[in-house]
């Protein structure tokens, strides 16, 4: 497992590797100003993460539409060959994703452990595991 980081004073994206699965842990407010930082982190790992990409939003205290757009474009960018999941819980992250129906577009799980288990035990994308 290795860790890399993209950051500003109030926002950061940490990257962890579990074999060939990438976990991006987002901390801070994910809005119009910070969404490009997450997009850069996704772009940096997208070609290397050959089995799974997990975006962990449990450290996010505000999720704007710009952040949701990054999630959608990331899901589309990894294609059908890479499992994709988002970790979100609570009013700041899971609720907005549910309200706009994104939990039906890609899996939204309560914990990082659940997301890792889902993407590593399936052996294929977890689109049906929401």
């Amino acid at each position: 497992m290795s860790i890399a980081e993209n950051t500003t004073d109030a926002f950061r994206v940490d990257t962890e590797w579990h074999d060939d699965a990438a976990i991006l842990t987002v901390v801070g407010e994910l809005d119009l100003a910070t969404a490009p930082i997450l997009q850069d982190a996704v772009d940096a790992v997208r070609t290397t993460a050959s089995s799974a990409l997990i975006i962990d939003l449990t450290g996010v205290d505000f999720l704007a539409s710009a952040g949701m757009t990054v999630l959608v474009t990331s899901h589309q960018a990894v294609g059908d060959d890479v499992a994709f999941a988002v970790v979100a819980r609570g009013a700041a992250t899971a609720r907005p994703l549910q309200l706009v129906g994104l939990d039906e577009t890609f899996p939204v799980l309560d914990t990082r452990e659940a997301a890792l288990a889902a993407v590593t035990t399936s052996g294929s994308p977890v689109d049906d595991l929401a």
Side-chain angles (χ1 to χ4, degrees):
M1 170 176 66
S2 64
I3 298 177
E5 185 177 314
N6 293 315
T7 186
T8 69
D9 289 338
F11 181 84
R12 75 174 193 271
V13 179
D14 299 327
T15 304
E16 287 181 51
W17 289 94
H18 292 269
D19 298 320
D20 57 353
I23 300 176
L24 300 179
T25 302
V26 185
V27 178
E29 294 185 356
L30 183 50
D31 57 20
L32 186 61
T34 58
I37 298 169
L38 176 57
Q39 185 64 62
D40 289 346
V42 169
D43 292 344
V45 301
R46 189 167 41 94
T47 58
T48 308
S50 59
S51 69
L53 173 59
I54 298 170
I55 300 178
D56 183 348
L57 301 178
T58 55
V60 171
D61 44 0
F62 176 74
L63 177 60
S65 61
M68 290 187 231
T69 299
V70 172
L71 297 177
V72 171
T73 58
S74 299
H75 176 248
Q76 293 169 340
V78 297
D80 293 334
D81 296 329
V82 177
F84 181 85
V86 173
V87 179
R89 63 178 173 258
T93 55
R95 185 71 178 139
L97 294 173
Q98 292 167 347
L99 287 172
V100 298
L102 289 180
D103 60 330
E104 298 192 23
T105 302
F106 46 75
V108 177
L109 303 158
D110 288 343
T111 66
R112 170 193 297 233
E113 293 76 18
L116 266 172
V119 299
T120 58
T121 60
S122 68
S124 63
V126 293
D127 289 329
D128 297 328
L129 295 176

